[in-house]
Amino acid sequence: MQLDGRRVLVCNCEKTMPLDAEGLAKACGASASAGPDGIATQLCRAELKRFQDALKAGQPLTVACTQESPLFEEQREELGSTTPVSYVNIRETAGWSSEAAEATPKIAALIAAAAMPPASLPAVTMTSQGIALIYGRDERAIAAARQLSSRLDVTIMLDRPKDIPGQPLMDIPIVQGRIAAARGHLGAFELVIDDYALPLPSSRQSLIFGPPRNGATSKCDIIIDLTGGTPLFSAHEKRDGYLRPDPNDPAAVQRALFDAAELVGEFEKPVYVDFHAELCAHSRSRRTGCTRCLDICPTGAITPAGDHVVIDPYICGGCGNCGAVCPTGAADYRLPPAATLTEQLRALLLAYHEAGGRQAVLLVHNGKHGSPLIDALARYGDGLPARVLPLSVHAVSECGVSFFASAFAYGVADVRVLAPAKAKDDLGGLAQQMALTESILVGLGFEGGRVGLIETDDPDQLAAALAALPRRDGPSNASYLPMGRSRDLARLAFRHLHKVAPQPVDAVALPPGAPFGNLRIDVGGCTLCLSCVSACPTGALSDDPDRPRLTFTEDACVQCGLCKNTCPEKVIALEPRVNFTEASSVARLIKEEEPFHCVRCGKAFGTKSSIERIVAQLEGKHWMFGKSEMIERLRMCADCRIIAQSESQIDPYAGPPRPMVRTTDDYIAEREAPAADLPKTNAGGKKPA
């Protein structure tokens, strides 16, 4: 088949899939052929020449087989071909199913989505020289060290050791210690050690350690933790160079030792997140605003750095949580970018609907966890239903509200996210994004329960969960092209969903913490100081350089709270919601006042209400403003105020008259003199002249 400038080779895997060449070509919008582009029966063996001929033609190629992709890649290398080839699995995901005869729209959708180019990521380099620390509590740590000593530079650290036999040959350093703090990554671990002590050379039956000390520091490239206690790092399975097998599982220990032996040299790690500091809404002027990524990062790779945060690419585990919850797009997840993932979603669903598919269910899964379950279901069960479209992503936690909303905008009836029964990643962020999407859908009148999580490691439980899904139609599907960052994608999806909603409303209230919303401002208490404008990181609040004026654009507000935290009058409150009206994209006037003009030169320099309020608070109530000329200066601009000060004889730093100092003689004289002879004093206690 020829499809959108690509050549597609499809194989029915020795007739184990009921594929109809003409029907599939029609579903794909391509022309069928019984010749070289017809359905193959054994493309990887008897008909391998068809693949070789397709390579020689030089046209981009999609092969509907993943099992034999290593063989096809070998052929490509032997021929020295530079023809781009993509592979798609239509067998376990569609063809090996009890509903395979109805799966033609689904197969067409999978082929269309496979044409998307793979994401390319920049990388950082980690260098390990093989300096390893084996951290344990008993002789198992020593045995593990002896296994690795020929491959790595090993040191043994024992935490609270008991009855460790004396060593006739100290060929491997053994120390006592407890790791109090650890940071870093493969090739650059830094440790703080308490109870650090060296063994005494005179140790006889058991090792005896010298006096311990706290606060010792050490560096190493690799840590093998055999203590069985609390991990040294959060989300420890994502920390490169930190291996923590169960010390009671010999097989797990051996796997860890095998992996550790290979951790010598230079290693490239993808930079999963493209961070744009200028878009970050974390802080302004030491006022904290958005902390969503800080709260959700499982590895601690994100830390504050002034007005924005920083993401350590060496520690980042690539879970995608930050990209899913970031309201501005500052944390742009790159595996793949949000726009690319949405484009793949669009291709999948457009092809499915154009081929006559209905009631689509999108099954989002991590390839490492979900693909084996789908494979087992196809080989030993009934396979996936024909309306269930699997979509493999790097991490399910990368899916945010923009992804889910886009899926429904493109016509999905339900979305289910497949995750392990005991997920290693924190799925709290994913749950928030799913709940947010559900709130918006229900608010627009769609039936509830359209977004859900399937947590299982059992293919039979997966089949039961999918079979229990109701059969219902999705929204009328859109066909718009995804453009912009995640927030722009969400806005496009919201606009379409509102258009086709059963009960369209102007706005839907959202739970606190949602990244969309309005500001409720007490206009009467606002002094137009415009502190909120300078704090707003997205430009949702803006002013006018020519007159005192405050405007607000709801579409740009990310509910970071910086304006609320900065406002000196405390007149701003957040209102999480999604506003579907056109007014949300237009700056609306919050407050406007006439400017106050300097009484000396006539220049506008403030608002009338602010100046008069200051005058009212100080006139006659503060000693410094007891005279009319001092009050008049408050009504002058900064330049005229300085000129007026230079022209006057008033000392601005002078205080009011101080009371006369009273001595002991004054008190004695008052007691001895008759009351009529006592001098009268003024209100300040000073004797009249």
Side-chain angles (χ1 to χ4, degrees), residues 66-84:
T66 54
Q67 174 181 287
E68 300 297 332
S69 57
L71 172 66
F72 294 131
E73 285 299 302
E74 286 180 7
Q75 292 294 313
R76 194 159 74 102
E77 290 181 10
E78 288 180 8
L79 294 174
S81 174
T82 58
T83 299

Side-chain angles (χ1 to χ4, degrees), residues 135-156:
Y135 184 41
R137 290 179 175 169
D138 50 35
E139 294 180 68
R140 290 176 292 187
I142 299 176
R146 296 206 178 279
Q147 275 190 256
L148 284 178
S149 60
S150 62
R151 301 288 300 275
L152 303 176
D153 183 356
V154 181
T155 297
I156 304 167

